[in-house]
Amino acid sequence: EFLHQMTTSQVRRLFLLLFAAGGDKNDEMASGLGDSSGVGGACDDIQIVIEKNLSHGQIANKRIGIIGTVAYAVTRSAELLDQQNSMEVEETDATCMPGGAAVASLPIVKDITEKIEKA
């Protein structure tokens, strides 16, 4: 309810903070709290708020949903970069795929694409 009183910048920072504080897939899977999508716990509640605002008819609500979707994509993209950096250290010439074909097939990329398409 308070999201409507916030500026665009404040809403964006709030969503980024909430996604960052929501934990990541590895932490939740290790504790048995997460699901296979990589988003769980507090992030599930945030996703519900975003989808509710996206499906609302008023422009102000859609704005909040779009800001949340972009914040989600930014957060998940940062996770993807971390994964790529760790894979670069571990990969050998035999496991390299030309043109980044491996990146496009990662579940995290599909998840980001799906969320953006909903917006």
Side-chain angles (χ1 to χ4, degrees):
E1 292 82 31
F2 295 108
L3 290 174
H4 298 289
Q5 299 171 3
M6 295 179 163
T7 66
T8 300
S9 179
Q10 290 171 328
V11 172
R12 178 176 36 88
R13 288 181 184 155
L14 176 64
F15 277 120
L16 288 171
L17 176 67
L18 291 172
F19 281 123
D24 68 3
K25 176 182 175 182
N26 295 332
D27 293 341
E28 291 171 4
M29 291 303 286
S31 66
L33 298 174
D35 62 10
S36 61
S37 70
V39 179
C43 290
D44 285 342
D45 294 335
I46 300 166
Q47 290 293 331
I48 291 169
V49 170
I50 290 171
E51 290 178 21
K52 180 177 128 183
N53 280 289
L54 284 173
S55 65
H56 207 277
Q58 295 179 347
I59 296 296
N61 290 78
K62 288 193 180 280
R63 175 185 70 93
I64 292 169
I66 291 170
I67 293 169
T69 300
V70 171
Y72 177 80
V74 167
T75 304
R76 297 290 284 176
S77 296
E79 292 173 18
L80 176 62
L81 287 175
D82 289 343
Q83 286 179 4
Q84 281 182 316
N85 289 337
S86 66
M87 286 184 346
E88 286 176 5
V89 171
E90 297 172 1
E91 73 184 5
T92 64
D93 291 341
T95 60
C96 292
M97 295 185 77
V103 173
S105 65
L106 289 175
I108 195 169
V109 174
K110 292 177 183 176
D111 188 37
I112 292 169
T113 305
E114 182 180 297
K115 296 294 181 191
I116 291 174
E117 286 175 353
K118 283 184 181 180

